[in-house]
């Protein structure tokens, strides 16, 4: 039983890894990427109507993996699910009462370390593109084998369990925001996942209803059309457009007008 639908990808990855041709290992990396994506999509689907369908339709796999890692903090722990058909007394049961019952196991959820999965997923992507020298990197076969083993264990799950420890909100651009425990506590910033928006928010847990407030930023528009924010304390430091990956910087000009003087002088600095 493979509830996540990743076994076909794993079988092909294993076949590619069995080859002594290192270039075949690149195709193994591709199949493993597919397996990580399939696992993430299946897990999100298990939330049903608690998460909007737009996440699957519009969000990229990396964003979904990040989402799952943010609000499913116990996902790396395996769990078994059992049920008892024995009659119980009509009173509050003690721990000893529960332990004395006979149970039938009906499902097991293997641990899913979503943070590790996301790191592995992004690392695999580096082997699927040419670098600036028009060369491609060859993945390490042993590291790929470790990822195959991780996903093979996940494929043995006989139950899919979701932890609904999150809240939702909406960005000014209209994008749906999913907030996990760390975001709701205010200890972690909330990022709009739309690459052309990139607005930042912080939750206000001390306020009634825990509203989110936009973090003040200076933003410019990249030639590609994306909104690129600069934190106030890093105005003179260059940054990278999250959409097209171009390097950008702000140029700040100071105009000095001496009191009572008609002429102006100026100095400038740029980042």
């Amino acid at each position: 039983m493979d509830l996540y639908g990743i076994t076909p990808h794993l079988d092909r990855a294993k076949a590619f890894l069995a080859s002594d041709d290192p270039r075949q290992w690149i195709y193994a990396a591709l199949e493993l990427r597919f397996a990580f994506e399939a696992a993430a999509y299946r897990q999100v689907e298990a939330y049903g109507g608690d998460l909007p369908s737009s996440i699957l339709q519009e969000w990229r796999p990396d964003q979904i993996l990040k989402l799952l890692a943010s609000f499913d903090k116990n996902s790396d722990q395996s769990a078994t699910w059992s049920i008892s058909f024995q009659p119980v007394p009509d009173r509050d049961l003690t721990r000893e009462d529960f332990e004395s019952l006979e149970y039938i196991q009906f499902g097991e959820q293997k641990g899913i370390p979503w943070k590790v999965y996301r790191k592995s997923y992004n690392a695999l992507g580096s082997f699927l593109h040419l670098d600036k020298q028009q060369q491609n990197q060859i993945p390490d076969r042993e590291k790929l084998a470790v990822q195959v083993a991780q996903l093979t264990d996940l494929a043995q799950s006989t139950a899919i369990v979701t932890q609904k420890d999150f809240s939702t909100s909406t960005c000014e651009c209209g994008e749906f925001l999913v907030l996990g425990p760390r975001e709701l506590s205010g200890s972690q910033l909330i990022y709009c996942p739309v690459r052309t928006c990139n607005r930042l928010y912080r939750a206000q847990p001390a306020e009634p209803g825990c509203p989110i407030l936009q973090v003040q930023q200076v933003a410019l528009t990249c030639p590609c059309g994306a909104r690129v924010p600069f934190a106030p304390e890093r105005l003179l430091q260059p940054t990278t457009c999250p959409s097209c990956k171009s390097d950008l910087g702000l140029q700040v000009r100071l105009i000095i007008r001496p009191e009572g003087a008609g002429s102006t002088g100026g100095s400038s600095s740029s980042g």
Side-chain angles (χ1 to χ4, degrees):
M1 179 185 296
D2 176 14
L3 297 180
Y4 286 93
I6 59 178
T7 298
H9 301 297
L10 295 178
D11 289 343
R12 287 190 287 269
K14 293 175 184 177
F16 287 127
L17 287 176
S19 171
D20 291 328
D21 179 4
R23 298 190 64 83
Q24 294 294 308
W25 306 344
I26 297 176
Y27 295 102
L30 177 62
E31 291 293 343
L32 288 174
R33 287 260 295 188
F34 289 157
F36 281 121
E37 291 176 4
Y41 286 138
R42 181 65 186 90
Q43 189 74 20
V44 170
E45 286 177 349
Y47 283 90
D50 293 305
L51 290 174
S53 59
S54 62
I55 288 182
L56 284 176
Q57 295 172 352
E58 301 174 9
W59 284 29
R60 301 194 307 176
D62 174 65
Q63 294 171 329
I64 294 177
L65 286 165
K66 181 180 179 181
L67 170 75
L68 292 169
S70 70
F71 62 68
D72 204 350
K73 59 183 178 181
N74 297 319
S75 65
D76 59 341
Q77 302 177 17
S78 297
T80 57
W81 301 90
S82 304
I83 188 171
S84 176
F85 294 99
Q86 288 183 259
V88 296
D90 186 15
R91 59 176 173 80
D92 292 337
L93 299 184
T94 64
R95 181 184 181 89
E96 289 73 19
D97 290 331
F98 282 110
E99 292 178 346
S100 66
L101 298 175
E102 295 182 4
Y103 292 91
I104 299 175
Q105 181 176 323
F106 66 87
E108 180 181 10
Q109 167 73 69
K110 298 293 186 178
I112 311 176
W114 290 114
K115 288 184 179 179
V116 176
Y117 278 17
R118 183 180 182 230
K119 182 177 180 180
S120 298
Y121 175 81
N122 289 331
L124 290 170
S126 64
F127 305 115
L128 308 181
H129 306 281
L130 296 179
D131 59 23
K132 295 181 179 179
Q133 285 73 42
Q134 302 297 309
Q135 301 294 323
N136 63 283
Q137 301 180 47
I138 300 297
D140 184 287
R141 180 157 59 171
E142 293 184 0
K143 291 183 178 180
L144 294 183
V146 170
Q147 294 170 358
V148 168
Q150 288 179 331
L151 290 166
T152 299
D153 186 57
L154 176 62
Q156 305 306 310
S157 295
T158 55
I160 296 179
V161 181
T162 60
Q163 179 175 331
K164 301 176 182 179
D165 188 10
F166 62 87
S167 184
T168 59
S169 188
T170 305
C171 177
E172 187 177 319
C173 73
E175 180 64 16
F176 192 83
L177 303 175
V178 181
L179 318 178
R182 293 183 63 188
E183 288 85 358
L184 290 172
S185 70
S187 63
Q188 182 167 304
L189 289 173
I190 302 162
Y191 296 83
C192 176
V194 177
R195 293 290 177 106
T196 55
C197 174
N198 305 304
R199 286 178 171 83
L200 297 179
Y201 296 87
R202 188 184 296 276
Q204 309 297 311
E207 299 293 329
C210 191
I212 64 171
L213 297 180
Q214 187 171 337
V215 177
Q216 294 300 314
Q217 300 169 297
V218 176
L220 57 81
T221 301
C222 177
C224 75
R227 179 180 181 275
V228 183
F230 286 76
E233 68 274 12
R234 302 186 64 183
L235 286 179
L236 299 182
Q237 299 183 28
T239 189
T240 302
C241 173
S243 182
C244 70
K245 307 304 180 183
S246 298
D247 293 329
L248 301 173
L250 289 177
Q251 186 177 74
V252 181
R253 182 176 296 273
L254 175 64
I255 305 297
I256 302 175
R257 298 177 183 274
E259 185 177 353
S263 59
T264 62
S267 63
S268 66
S269 63
S270 61

